[in-house]
Amino acid sequence: MVWQPNRLTPKKSIVYMKHYKFYEQVNHNFDKAAPFTRFDKGILNQIKVCNTVYKVVFPIKRDDGSIQVIEGWRVEHSHHKMPTKGGIRYSHKVDEDETMALAALMTYKCAIVDVPFGGAKGGVKISTREYSDRELEKITRRYTFELIKKGFIGPAVDVPAPDYGTSAREMGWILDTYRQMSDDLNAEACVTGKPIQQGGIRGRTEATGRGVYFGIRETCNHKADMDKLGLSTGVEGKTFVVQGLGNVGYHSALYMTEAGAKLVGVAEMEGTIYDPNGLDLKALMDYRKETGSIIGFGNSTSLKGKRVIFEQECDIIIPAALESQITIENAPKIKAKIIAEAANGPTTADAHEYLKERGALIIPDSYLNAGGVIVSYFEWLKNIQHVRYGRLNKRFDEASLMRIVSEIEQLAGKSFGEVERKVLTRGADEYDLVDSGLEESMITAYEQITTIREEHNLEDLRTAAFVNAINKIGIMYEQMGIFP
Ligand code: GLU
């Protein structure tokens, strides 16, 4: 489908899905892909359902002495591979349906990028801004305790990670709570996204944003797709906007700008700013730290609302906040030809249909934001191996490279300079290996998805990604012992 700028009214055939909940929307996308696989209804149903849903309610004592009841969930969507894996979200919007949808997306995401885990997700229904650090620590430790009690956490069982509203700090509290209750030798692998000092891995914080960049780069290097959109290949020179300047949005924008793309708009809680001449990301971050807002930055125009960002003139929009942001209502106002889903579920199923009809290219969340879980997988491996990447081979590799360099120098009859020599003989450290593994995973997954898209003559990458996931998970269920 080529880009059709004037198709502003969705076709009559589009099924409006406004009343569909998030989990139903995920399943709707699944159902569209299922006919392109060879699995029967029974297997498909087993893949789709959430295997276990655990709801917990517990009290905490607030700083002012009052007691508050807190609701939380942990959903393990699929046990076709173990452990299950997925972040923990803190938000006032958390509920069972959202947690189920996000757990399901984790299953498909892991399969798409060949991370050998089932999908899971956790959520606590709180608005973090309303709690002190002390209260957040209490909530995190109590929630972890509830997970331990019911066997919903453990290196071989279910391994949480950060998500919206949580970070390395919370993961550190989770590990500490788990360790107090267990003498498991592999205890450090019970959670990922930890601080480095507590068994975390270099490169995890920026991993999702870094992966988003790799995914966009691969897509923009696909000449046939860029031709259909009327865009040149490559990231360099493309303009983009980002919704959400959290960990994922910030790092996506950072690597995009480093690669020569131009950031022209940002949306945050307080509103939206737009400047066609480009926004300096670092200066913007400093400005927000100082003033508490992005509004009024540099020469930018301020706009009301967070979703108005999608209507701005640019090549790529990167939603990097919450789900259901691009809807059938605002999709016709989108001018960008590429939608890069850094958030989970940012585009509703009907908006996706409309944008596809119009010829836009959507890089789906289940592929694009998988960088976080990919590097979580590396962290988990590091934890069960009890050794930092590069520790065994870095010096050995450097010595080998040094011998080769000396040999070349002798043959050439001249020496390299000091700086050149250092560059040529540098062995890979943990960050280098993580980054290389992340890049490899994103490239391989992109190739798999585009191959499937061509094989089945599919029009969109999301359906192709789902087909890829269903194929990998279906085989596992087929071979699993189903008790008579
Ligand atoms: N919360 C992240 C996601 O949605 C990371 C999950 C993980 O590392 O387990 O992909």
Side-chain angles (χ1 to χ4, degrees):
M1 193 77 77
V2 286
W3 173 248
Q4 301 173 46
N6 299 325
R7 182 193 280 284
L8 297 179
T9 326
K11 267 193 196 157
K12 287 220 169 59
S13 57
I14 280 200
V15 184
Y16 282 77
M17 299 188 66
K18 211 174 164 187
H19 55 287
Y20 279 49
K21 289 186 156 178
F22 188 15
Y23 182 49
E24 279 177 312
Q25 306 243 3
V26 174
N27 285 339
H28 178 81
N29 289 331
F30 180 102
D31 291 341
K32 279 196 302 186
F36 299 99
T37 70
R38 63 175 172 78
F39 299 104
D40 65 28
K41 218 167 178 273
I43 295 280
L44 292 170
N45 283 341
Q46 173 53 45
I47 299 174
K48 248 168 43 172
V49 292
C50 286
N51 289 2
T52 36
V53 181
Y54 173 37
K55 177 174 183 190
V56 59
V57 182
F58 55 84
I60 64 139
K61 195 180 242 177
R62 304 279 317 243
D63 290 346
D64 64 6
S66 64
I67 305 289
Q68 192 173 347
V69 175
I70 306 282
E71 283 180 294
W73 287 266
R74 184 74 184 170
V75 174
E76 290 173 1
H77 172 259
S78 178
H79 295 132
H80 74 286
K81 288 203 186 232
M82 293 292 279
T84 53
K85 187 90 191 75
I88 294 176
R89 175 173 291 201
Y90 286 0
S91 149
H92 68 280
K93 282 173 78 183
V94 163
D95 62 18
E96 192 161 303
D97 180 81
E98 183 192 61
T99 317
M100 284 168 71
L102 293 167
L105 280 173
M106 282 310 301
T107 295
Y108 308 129
K109 192 186 303 189
C110 288
I112 287 162
V113 292
D114 291 320
V115 165
F117 297 141
K121 201 77 171 199
V124 180
K125 195 179 184 66
I126 50 165
S127 178
T128 49
R129 284 192 293 179
E130 288 164 18
Y131 294 86
S132 68
D133 287 352
R134 211 178 99 95
E135 289 170 335
L136 288 172
E137 180 170 350
K138 260 195 215 176
I139 293 169
T140 307
R141 287 183 183 277
R142 177 64 189 255
Y143 173 72
T144 309
F145 177 76
E146 299 292 338
L147 296 182
I148 297 169
K149 242 181 20 183
K150 300 284 184 215
F152 273 80
I153 183 171
V157 187
D158 189 351
V159 183
D163 197 80
Y164 186 91
T166 58
S167 65
R169 181 183 69 162
E170 284 74 16
M171 303 307 118
W173 291 332
I174 292 174
L175 171 61
D176 186 57
T177 311
Y178 184 82
R179 236 200 314 237
Q180 287 173 34
M181 311 277 298
S182 155
D183 53 9
D184 187 343
L185 176 67
N186 292 321
E188 267 187 358
C190 79
V191 62
T192 60
K194 303 176 290 285
I196 306 285
Q197 302 78 358
Q198 286 175 270
I201 196 166
R202 287 156 189 86
R204 175 62 184 85
T205 307
E206 53 273 54
T208 310
R210 185 93 177 124
V212 167
Y213 160 66
F214 285 139
I216 297 177
R217 186 193 68 188
E218 289 312 295
T219 310
C220 290
N221 284 341
H222 196 285
K223 191 166 176 335
D225 280 341
M226 291 306 110
D227 284 351
K228 276 193 224 161
L229 296 174
L231 293 172
S232 57
T233 53
V235 164
E236 201 178 341
K238 292 214 167 40
T239 54
F240 72 102
V241 297
V242 61
Q243 185 199 39
L245 264 190
N247 180 35
V248 177
Y250 167 70
H251 284 106
S252 304
L254 178 71
Y255 296 117
M256 286 293 287
T257 48
E258 276 183 11
K262 192 172 17 159
L263 173 67
V264 291
V266 171
E268 252 301 337
M269 305 274 189
E270 57 272 17
T272 294
I273 55 168
Y274 181 77
D275 184 350
N277 296 318
L279 298 158
D280 179 335
L281 181 64
K282 202 188 159 302
L284 173 62
M285 295 304 279
D286 291 343
Y287 177 85
R288 189 172 191 233
K289 220 178 188 175
E290 229 173 79
T291 65
S293 169
I294 55 170
I295 304 299
F297 174 71
N299 295 324
S300 67
T301 312
S302 300
L303 303 154
K304 269 217 173 84
K306 291 178 267 182
R307 294 190 189 178
V308 65
I309 189 78
F310 301 132
E311 300 167 22
Q312 305 311 309
E313 198 71 58
C314 63
D315 298 317
I316 306 173
I317 55 181
I318 307 181
L322 290 168
E323 61 268 18
S324 307
Q325 296 300 302
I326 299 173
T327 64
I328 197 72
E329 278 85 33
N330 62 13
K333 296 180 196 149
I334 289 178
K335 298 186 186 89
K337 297 170 179 173
I338 301 175
I339 290 98
E341 297 185 335
N344 287 312
T347 314
T348 59
D350 44 13
H352 170 100
E353 275 314 307
Y354 162 72
L355 287 165
K356 191 176 85 179
E357 256 179 27
R358 199 175 171 203
L361 185 63
I362 300 177
I363 319 174
D365 52 355
S366 50
Y367 161 66
L368 194 67
N369 71 30
V373 77
I374 291 169
V375 177
S376 275
Y377 168 44
F378 300 156
E379 181 175 332
W380 181 82
L381 287 173
K382 172 188 181 179
N383 295 151
I384 57 175
Q385 288 173 139
H386 301 266
V387 65
R388 160 173 57 81
Y389 289 100
R391 180 167 170 183
L392 300 185
N393 50 311
K394 183 168 183 280
R395 302 276 152 183
F396 182 85
D397 290 348
E398 286 181 351
S400 305
L401 290 167
M402 191 60 96
R403 281 195 293 274
I404 296 170
V405 163
S406 303
E407 204 62 38
I408 294 171
E409 282 176 339
Q410 253 186 11
L411 286 171
K414 56 178 182 182
S415 298
F416 289 106
E418 194 65 33
V419 180
E420 257 177 323
R421 215 163 213 267
K422 257 207 162 118
V423 172
L424 289 170
T425 61
R426 198 172 78 84
D429 62 19
E430 183 167 85
Y431 182 83
D432 299 320
L433 293 167
V434 163
D435 199 51
S436 146
L438 173 59
E439 184 171 14
E440 165 66 16
S441 308
M442 292 303 291
I443 293 175
T444 306
Y446 181 79
E447 282 167 359
Q448 287 179 11
I449 297 169
T450 42
T451 305
I452 289 177
R453 181 177 62 166
E454 275 150 38
E455 255 171 37
H456 295 282
N457 210 5
L458 297 167
E459 273 176 359
D460 67 306
L461 290 170
R462 194 189 315 281
T463 307
F466 263 98
V467 170
N468 194 14
I470 296 170
N471 283 340
K472 290 177 187 172
I473 304 162
I475 287 179
M476 296 299 295
Y477 274 120
E478 262 183 346
Q479 290 166 358
M480 244 172 162
I482 297 171
F483 295 105

